[in-house]
């Protein structure tokens, strides 16, 4: 058995529980802090079951958060739909059991021109600018709790670029549009996009379209289908720890099809 625990702790965890079942505390000659210090004492105090359950709970490793990575491009219709209708709402409800990683790059191509990276994006220069702005927001704000609502706001808008200023004003008014554009138009944004290119090009299997969804480091056709149909249910079913109350009711499937994806 393990070393003695604080008497008050064991009184709360074991003594009260025992009293509920029997109407009185056990007639043993050991203080509560010793009840789980050895198996002999646990038997003498009639708390064997409680001691075993307590140490099982204490030794249990916390469940790992479900890791969701989204590889996307800011002007792809399917990416916008998945981010706004599935990923962001799911994150808002289940952020305690999941982590979200956003990688804006998608089907872009990069080349090195005299030491500077030049990008060609599927939906033109505006998409390259939008991807870079979103990468800069992540870098400048660091926390997903701070930058994800802004990116959701931008992706919900008809014009992603024009939405930058009003979305910042709503969610992070202390960060100026000028500061974000300084990053996006400078070396910092260029390097951030290069890192996103490296990360996207290193995917295994290589991405064939976007949105490309990776769950706990894995991408399969089945995981992609489940994520597109109901990311909420997928996260709840994947999480191995105690389910939050939100997971007790399964959400309806959205049945997103492949029509909106942007092929590589």
């Amino acid at each position: 058995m393990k070393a003695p625990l604080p008497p008050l702790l064991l009184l709360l965890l074991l003594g009260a529980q025992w009293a509920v079942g029997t109407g009185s505390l056990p007639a043993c000659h050991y203080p509560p802090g010793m009840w789980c210090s050895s198996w002999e004492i646990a038997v003498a105090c009639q708390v064997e079951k409680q001691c075993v359950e307590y140490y099982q709970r204490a030794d249990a490793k916390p469940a790992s958060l479900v890791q969701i990575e989204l590889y996307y491009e800011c002007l792809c219709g399917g990416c916008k739909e998945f981010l706004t209708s599935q990923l962001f709402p799911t994150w808002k409800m289940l952020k305690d059991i999941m982590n979200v990683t956003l990688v804006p790059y998608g089907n872009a191509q990069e080349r090195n021109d005299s030491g500077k990276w030049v990008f060609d994006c599927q939906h033109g220069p505006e998409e390259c600018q939008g991807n870079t702005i979103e990468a800069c927001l992540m870098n400048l704000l660091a926390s997903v709790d701070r930058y994800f609502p802004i990116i959701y706001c931008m992706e919900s808008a008809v014009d992603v670029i024009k939405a930058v200023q009003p979305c910042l004003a709503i969610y992070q008014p202390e960060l100026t549009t000028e500061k974000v554009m300084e990053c996006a138009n400078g070396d910092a944004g260029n390097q951030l996009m290069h890192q996103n290119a490296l990360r996207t090009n290193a995917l295994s299997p290589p991405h064939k379209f976007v949105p490309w969804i990776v769950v706990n480091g894995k991408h399969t056709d089945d995981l992609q289908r489940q994520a597109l149909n109901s990311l909420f249910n997928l996260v709840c079913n994947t999480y191995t720890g105690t389910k939050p109350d939100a997971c007790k009711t399964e959400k309806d499937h959205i049945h997103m099809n492949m029509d909106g994806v942007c092929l590589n």
Side-chain angles (χ1 to χ4, degrees):
M1 300 294 286
K2 301 191 178 184
L5 292 179
L8 180 59
L9 176 61
L10 278 172
L11 266 175
L12 293 173
L13 292 176
L14 303 176
Q17 182 180 351
W18 198 96
V20 169
T22 65
S24 62
L25 290 173
C28 70
H29 303 293
Y30 303 94
M34 295 291 295
W35 286 355
C36 291
S37 61
S38 74
W39 185 250
E40 290 77 13
I41 293 175
V43 171
C45 294
Q46 303 176 47
V47 291
E48 310 99 288
K49 181 175 182 290
Q50 291 90 336
C51 286
V52 170
E53 290 177 349
Y54 172 76
Y55 281 121
Q56 284 177 341
R57 292 195 301 270
D59 289 341
K61 295 182 179 179
S64 298
L65 299 181
V66 180
Q67 306 293 324
I68 301 294
E69 301 169 39
L70 174 63
Y71 294 81
Y72 72 105
E73 50 197 33
C74 72
L75 298 187
C76 170
C79 297
K80 289 166 67 71
E81 181 182 357
F82 177 75
L83 189 150
T84 58
S85 69
Q86 294 243 41
L87 183 57
F88 185 77
T90 296
W91 173 77
K92 287 290 287 183
M93 291 183 285
L94 301 178
K95 64 170 65 177
D96 289 341
I97 66 169
M98 67 184 292
N99 277 334
V100 169
T101 300
L102 303 175
V103 186
Y105 183 78
N107 299 323
Q109 300 292 324
E110 70 169 358
R111 66 182 189 279
N112 193 303
D113 186 356
S114 302
K116 182 175 181 178
W117 296 102
V118 177
F119 303 97
D120 295 312
C121 295
Q122 189 166 32
H123 301 93
E126 184 180 0
E127 181 167 79
C128 285
Q129 186 181 30
N131 288 343
T132 308
I133 289 171
E134 293 185 2
C136 283
L137 285 168
M138 296 179 214
N139 185 62
L140 290 168
L141 294 171
S143 167
V144 66
D145 290 306
R146 301 178 69 197
Y147 64 70
F148 200 4
I150 303 171
I151 292 174
Y152 164 76
C153 178
M154 291 171 57
E155 294 295 330
S156 299
V158 174
D159 192 316
V160 171
I161 307 301
K162 288 183 179 179
V164 175
Q165 191 279 327
C167 291
L168 280 174
I170 295 170
Y171 292 106
Q172 292 293 331
E174 75 283 0
L175 178 60
T176 66
T177 305
E178 290 74 21
K179 182 72 173 177
V180 175
M181 297 311 295
E182 179 184 349
C183 169
N185 295 327
D187 292 338
N190 193 255
Q191 286 300 315
L192 288 170
M193 287 309 300
H194 174 55
Q195 293 303 314
N196 283 355
L198 294 177
R199 185 165 186 162
T200 302
N201 292 334
L203 283 168
S204 179
H207 81 286
K208 300 175 182 177
F209 50 82
V210 288
W212 189 261
I213 304 155
V214 177
V215 182
N216 286 342
K218 293 176 57 179
H219 174 93
T220 66
D221 291 344
D222 184 55
L223 285 172
Q224 177 85 17
R225 178 189 56 78
Q226 291 185 61
L228 290 177
N229 286 338
S230 181
L231 180 67
F232 181 94
N233 293 339
L234 174 60
V235 172
C236 285
N237 293 335
T238 302
Y239 185 62
T240 58
T242 302
K243 311 293 185 187
D245 288 343
C247 286
K248 292 178 181 178
T249 303
E250 187 169 286
K251 304 302 180 187
D252 292 336
H253 286 206
I254 294 178
H255 296 298
M256 287 180 62
N257 55 43
M258 296 292 289
D259 295 342
V261 304
C262 297
L263 299 174
N264 188 8

